[in-house]
Amino acid sequence: MLLAGLFPQGRPGDRYTFGKQDTRFSSAAQKILAAADRELTMRGMRRTARLGTRLWSLLLAVAGAILAFVLGTAAIDRGTHALLPVVVTVASIAALVVTIGLVSRRPLTALGAETRDHLRGLEEFIGGPKPTASACCSRRPVPSGCRST
């Protein structure tokens, strides 16, 4: 999918330069993520949360942000020091953004959680990330698995 998105003609020798303002890479990556989400849902590894649960959480966060803004503005108008109302308003907006992020996620089913835990166990068994070349070439003590020159 990624190669077909980056190289639509598929000719040998074609090159793709990263860093340009080109949407081919991002649109190909978005298609891959959407296909993976569909596949996880089809296999029963993701579920959707009830609309009521999501809606109430979102409404409470929006109401809290609006209330903090209105009361903070009223407090500043009455002559209080502006720092606390501004901090509370910014914190409530941050809480709203976090709530939107959490509500928009689709939780894993029991099968999905079991599969995730199995993959994490495999990663730990295999040994996780290996030392990079920069770790091998630094003046610090040589990590195991690196050759000294």
Side-chain angles (χ1 to χ4, degrees):
M1 288 180 132
L2 182 63
L3 290 177
L6 294 178
F7 305 105
Q9 286 78 28
R11 294 184 307 241
D14 282 352
R15 292 178 183 229
Y16 181 80
T17 305
F18 289 98
K20 295 187 326 184
Q21 293 294 330
D22 190 5
T23 59
R24 281 192 300 172
F25 181 72
S26 62
S27 62
Q30 287 173 352
K31 287 179 186 176
I32 291 171
L33 291 173
D37 188 50
R38 282 191 304 272
E39 185 70 23
L40 288 173
T41 303
M42 187 181 73
R43 292 183 181 204
M45 294 186 183
R46 285 204 185 269
R47 65 179 175 84
T48 54
R50 294 190 327 251
L51 180 62
T53 304
R54 298 166 89 173
L55 187 61
W56 279 112
S57 301
L58 190 58
L59 286 176
L60 284 173
V62 168
I66 291 172
L67 190 63
F69 178 76
V70 169
L71 293 177
T73 304
I76 291 172
D77 283 344
R78 296 211 179 233
T80 62
H81 194 281
L83 180 64
L84 184 61
V86 169
V87 168
V88 170
T89 302
V90 169
S92 68
I93 292 171
L96 176 63
V97 170
V98 168
T99 302
I100 290 171
L102 291 174
V103 166
S104 66
R105 291 192 50 114
R106 293 184 39 215
L108 296 173
T109 61
L111 176 63
E114 182 181 337
T115 304
R116 178 202 58 212
D117 294 342
H118 177 72
L119 291 172
R120 285 183 179 164
L122 284 175
E123 181 182 40
E124 184 177 329
F125 176 74
I126 291 171
K130 303 291 184 216
T132 61
S134 62
C136 292
C137 299
S138 67
R139 294 182 185 237
R140 294 182 214 143
V142 178
S144 62
C146 294
R147 290 180 284 139
S148 60
T149 55

